[in-house]
């Protein structure tokens, strides 16, 4: 099935898949890096998928392939439970406004609410307990998981996935302070999400103050990410969990942002930029750079700085030593002169 | 409408509003800072609102006003879609306990659940799929967005806004460890939210172990913020996204906390304090201070420290140079003495 | 009731419990640390629970006990509102598939959705607006709060508590990039949560790519925590709010992780490890260590480093001084030689 060369017992019966450390007898695992090949020695798995060159490892049967990761994906599918099917149609408990336009084969599950003026494209699946606000547009072949909130006027493209607990179109955070009181600045724009976007669980995307907060085609966002009002995210970006983008930040295409990183409001990040985990971006970043640290700087510079910082206690000792030797020398020199 | 002086073509027809970088032909934008005035040069907008002194910029028509931000807010309203109206009354799918007290013109939407003993003030709007627990009190003119959870005994004042996915009154995080097991400390207090408070999407506010977790009048909280048990937040505070306040932290009035900042449990932050983004507050902060960094320190001190840190690699070189010159000098001095 | 020695007026009538700083006349408070004993001097409480040795403090009546924290817990219970009772049975608005297996005394509240193939153990309570996906297993005596999402195939043990807004079983974050496009790697495993686990509000736990994401017996997780795919968390761990565990991280038993800390993917943390707040773990940590900082290091080393860093501006001054004195000395030595 995966075009593997078998090393060891080809008749081993496999009942499931698991990670190297969790696998028990009767399970197959895989190792695509030297680190995991080493862990195979102690694994209880009955079989493993490995790359060429790792034929000798472990005591289990081995499937030797060119790309263990890809081969293992196929094996995973064999053992995976069937995905739940979603019947087209509207569940009787769903509350769908009369004027909502529904495409073909739309599936609307139990306790969904869809407000007036909205439209849902062909083949889109809306799971239970989802809220779709007034005048929302959702394209075709989308999958909206339970307990998602899509506020009024939001536009979602085709082939998008939105995970549970996500909130799209909440008000941006903006106030003016008058006589010590915080007065709300109306947030009158919306959110536009283009095709092929995936949005993680409990992600919050604020609507724009005006115009739109915009997530472009093919971008993927992990869980618990915050997207501020009027943010623009380019195509095919990856945002790892817990990232925060402040209002009006702009990301170019193909930007990757590591977990817990943050981007200051009104900053521009060029295309193809890689932002390290927990980096804090305080000013514009040109195309193609790799940055990390807080405040963010070129990654090599940050590595050099981080290495220097670890050696600081030693630097204090060196300066203390210099001061001592210097004092001694000054003393000796003075004595020399006095001795002249 | 905004009392502007028009520079350029006063007959330009405008069909929408957008940011400087997103605007296309037929749209109006604005520039309230020199940075954005510079961006106008490249903007495709057909018109822009600018302040006095920026008359010459860009190729679009200009509306010159004293306060571009304020003028643009008025223009936004003209182009914004109408806000959805919320009809008073109880949707037939809402499940409202018999003894719930409802004020005048309350709007309770589809699939809302309101438990026994609760009361809702005049004009308050509860959007779909909201849960209101036992003995909850909500004041008048509040707006509770879809998928909010208000646990039992929580008290919300008047004129509050609570965004989707927020959870008010979850249990505080407290355990005692007995024989290696974590035993839950009962969390028997509640949450009190005073008037004019706004709470962002997916914010979590834990109920107190005893007494109350308390958010005072006029405070505004951004998305994905964590408020621990028995926290007290003063009036008119601003908490930016992803802030975490650990249990029993106390904030005075008018405190501003930047994004991703954290406050250690049982610490007290005085009134009018400004906490920088990602600051980590480990001890009490007196009134009126501006702090940043982790651990948090006076902002000027942190700036000085941060500037020093960036220069550390250079400091290593200076010490290395000193050591070399010093070695040479010691050698020379020794030679001199030997030559004496 | 708590075996206390009363100092002061034993007839004081108490109407409620509150923190030292919030308490007003007629309320009882407690002080279990010297810090809070000092605060008692200014407290308006009419009574306080204190430990032996604190008999003289404050002007209120005192209850002197061996363990003020434990005694106060008993007093809290007296004044706490009754917990809402959850009636067994299925609310008529709940949508429960025909083949769902329900134990004895299960309580299924309004607007709950339970999909086909699921089973719920004896005495488990499912609060309103919860989604239970296909083939989910929930043990006995669990409490699932409103607006929780349990995706297909998830397994929850007995005696677990899951707080509102939590999402269990969302897809792991995994893509391969082909020709600049991000293609989704199927996430075909599940999540297994063992007995006695508590999961906070708006926590996200991703399903495994294969096999299972696994949270073992007795572990407690605070709000807004992110657990990546294929993560394994040992028994009796404590994860404080806003922690992020990247994919395939492994935590041993009894690990404590401070707020906002993060663990890199594929790293292993030994048992009994204590991870400081906001630490960033980039590599494996052996059993029993206490680590902090970013990147994480032994806590004593981090403390020493942090103390050094605070003194860096002073170090610059010392090096500048050395350079000056050194220049003077070189000059003097040259003069000496020229004078020879």
């Amino acid at each position: 099935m995966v075009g593997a060369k078998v090393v060891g017992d080809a008749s081993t019966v496999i009942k499931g898949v698991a990670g190297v450390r969790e696998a028990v007898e009767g399970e197959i695992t895989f190792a695509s890096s030297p680190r995991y090949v080493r862990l195979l020695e102690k694994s209880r798995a009955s079989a493993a998928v490995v790359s060429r060159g790792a034929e000798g490892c472990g005591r289990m049967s081995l499937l030797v392939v060119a790309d263990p990761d890809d081969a293992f994906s196929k094996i995973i599918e064999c053992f995976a439970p069937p995905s739940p099917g979603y019947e087209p149609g509207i569940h009787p408990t769903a509350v769908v406004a009369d004027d909502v336009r529904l495409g073909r084969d739309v599936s609307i599950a139990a306790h969904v609410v869809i407000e007036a003026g909205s439209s849902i494209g062909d083949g889109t699946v809306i799971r239970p307990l989802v809220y779709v606000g007034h005048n929302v547009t959702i394209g075709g072949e989308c999958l909206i998981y339970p307990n998602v909130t899509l506020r009024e006027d939001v536009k979602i493209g085709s082939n998008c996935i939105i995970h549970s607990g996500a909130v799209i179109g909440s008000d941006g955070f903006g106030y003016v302070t008058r006589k010590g009181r915080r007065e709300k600045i109306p947030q009158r724009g919306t959110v536009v999400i283009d095709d092929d976007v995936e949005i993680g669980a409990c992600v919050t995307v604020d609507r724009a103050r005006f115009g739109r907060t915009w997530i472009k085609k093919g971008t993927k966002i992990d869980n618990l990410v915050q997207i501020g009002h009027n943010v623009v995210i380019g195509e095919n970006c990856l945002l790892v969990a817990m990232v925060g983008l402040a209002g009006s930040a702009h990301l170019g295409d193909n930007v990757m942002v590591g977990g817990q990183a943050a981007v200051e409001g009104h900053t521009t990040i060029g295309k193809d930029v890689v932002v390290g985990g927990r980096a804090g971006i305080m000013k514009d970043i040109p195309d193609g750079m790799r940055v990390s640290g807080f405040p963010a700087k070129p990654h090599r510079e940050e590595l050099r700085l981080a290495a220097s910082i670890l050696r600081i206690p030693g630097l204090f000792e060196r300066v203390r030593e210099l001061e001592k030797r210097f004092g001694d020398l000054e003393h000796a020199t003075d004595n020399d002169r006095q001795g002249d």
Side-chain angles (χ1 to χ4, degrees), chain A residues 52-257:
Chain A
R52 282 162 203 147
E55 283 88 349
C57 70
R59 287 151 301 182
M60 64 281 290
S61 304
L62 298 177
L63 298 179
V64 184
V65 297
D67 182 345
D69 205 48
D70 190 59
F72 197 61
S73 282
K74 288 172 187 151
I75 295 169
I76 287 168
E77 284 301 316
C78 301
F79 289 100
S83 292
Y86 305 120
E87 295 279 303
I90 302 178
H91 193 276
T93 61
V95 175
V96 180
D98 290 343
D99 69 346
V100 171
R101 283 149 293 157
L102 298 178
R104 275 173 295 113
D105 297 331
V106 166
S107 169
I108 297 177
H111 297 319
V112 164
V113 176
I114 307 186
E115 304 278 14
S118 291
S119 87
I120 319 283
D122 296 349
T124 282
V125 171
I126 303 191
R127 304 295 302 136
L129 300 160
V130 166
Y131 175 77
V132 179
H134 296 80
N135 303 310
V136 167
T137 305
I138 304 178
E141 305 298 334
C142 290
L143 176 49
I144 316 291
Y145 278 106
N147 280 316
V148 163
T149 302
L150 306 177
R151 285 265 306 271
E152 67 274 11
D153 306 311
V154 163
K155 285 184 179 37
I156 313 278
S158 292
N159 201 31
C160 291
I161 301 171
I162 303 186
H163 287 280
S164 296
V167 176
I168 315 294
S170 39
D171 291 358
F173 191 70
Y175 303 89
V176 286
T177 304
R178 289 206 175 89
K179 298 178 187 166
R181 291 187 65 243
R182 315 294 186 178
E183 289 180 17
K184 188 172 173 70
I185 298 172
Q187 303 291 317
R188 302 293 273 124
T190 185
V191 177
V192 175
I193 294 177
D194 291 345
D195 298 348
D196 305 323
V197 168
E198 183 163 358
I199 293 191
C202 296
V203 165
T204 57
V205 184
D206 280 350
R207 66 196 310 108
R209 180 181 163 205
F210 59 87
R212 55 189 174 183
T213 303
W214 188 11
I215 302 175
K216 295 186 188 173
K217 187 176 160 72
T219 282
K220 315 294 185 183
I221 299 178
D222 201 354
N223 301 340
L224 289 167
V225 167
Q226 151 72 357
I227 313 282
H229 53 164
N230 289 85
V231 163
V232 177
I233 303 179
E235 295 186 6
N236 297 313
C237 293
L238 289 180
L239 276 64
V240 176
M242 298 178 146
V243 162
L245 306 183
S248 298
H250 275 59
L251 275 62
D253 295 342
N254 296 306
V255 170
M256 294 177 63
V257 186

